[in-house]
Amino acid sequence: MKDVYLSIGTNMGERYENLQHAVALLKETEGIKLVRVSSVYETAAVGYTDQADFLNIAVHLKTDVSSADMLKICQSIEQELGRVREFRWGPRIIDLDILLYNQENIETESLTVPHPRMYERAFVLVPLVEIAASPFDVQLQQAHDLLQQMDCENEGITLWSPFEEFSTVH
Ligand SMILES: Nc1ncnc2c1ncn2[C@@H]1O[C@H](COP(=O)(O)OP(=O)(O)OP(=O)(O)O)[C@@H](O)[C@H]1O
Ligand SMILES: Nc1nc2c(c(=O)[nH]1)N=C(CO)CN2
């Protein structure tokens, strides 16, 4: 089975419930095994900054679903939760991004993996490194190294709910 890492973010409505809902839908999806969910982090908006703070998590999955189908699953969960795409980097009920897919480099019209902006985003790297499985995975090692070079306090990242609390709810 392939190791896949996703980033999930939300800054509209009941943010914590949105995360729980998205994780529950992933768990219910045939062919996906949920390995680990990170703690929940509250993070200041990056990119377009004049919007509410986000809650962000990372999840580790094992699956034989192809990367193209994984993207479709992410998009269908976004739709199920009622995401309306207003503008790039704007507020959203839920956003699921594929960070890493089995250490592969993927470049298609609809999918770029590793996610092109993940290595500059502390809101992605902090939860990802928390649940990172293998020290031998070059991409995860790179995430870890880059995070160490960042000053996370300046990035406005705080622990909102620890891993144990989140993972016992569902
Ligand atoms: N690794 C990836 N994970 C998810 N979507 C991706 C990825 N690579 C490319 N995409 C494409 O990006 C498109 C736009 O995604 P989305 O609306 O979530 O962007 P965004 O969240 O506003 O910005 P960002 O990509 O910087 O997080 C999707 O339709 C999808 O085809
Ligand atoms: N803190 C934070 N900022 C963001 C996020 C996010 O998930 N968290 N997602 C964005 C769209 O990709 C843009 N900015």
Side-chain angles (χ1 to χ4, degrees), residues 71 74-75 78 83 85 87-90 92 95-100 108-117 121 123:
L71 178 64
C74 289
Q75 291 172 342
E78 290 176 351
R83 172 168 165 191
R85 191 165 192 272
F87 59 94
R88 195 171 188 211
W89 297 336
R92 66 256 337 263
D95 182 26
L96 285 86
D97 287 333
I98 302 174
L99 300 176
L100 302 172
T108 68
E109 207 174 299
S110 56
L111 189 62
T112 306
V113 176
H115 189 283
R117 287 162 291 284
R121 292 174 162 177
F123 70 78

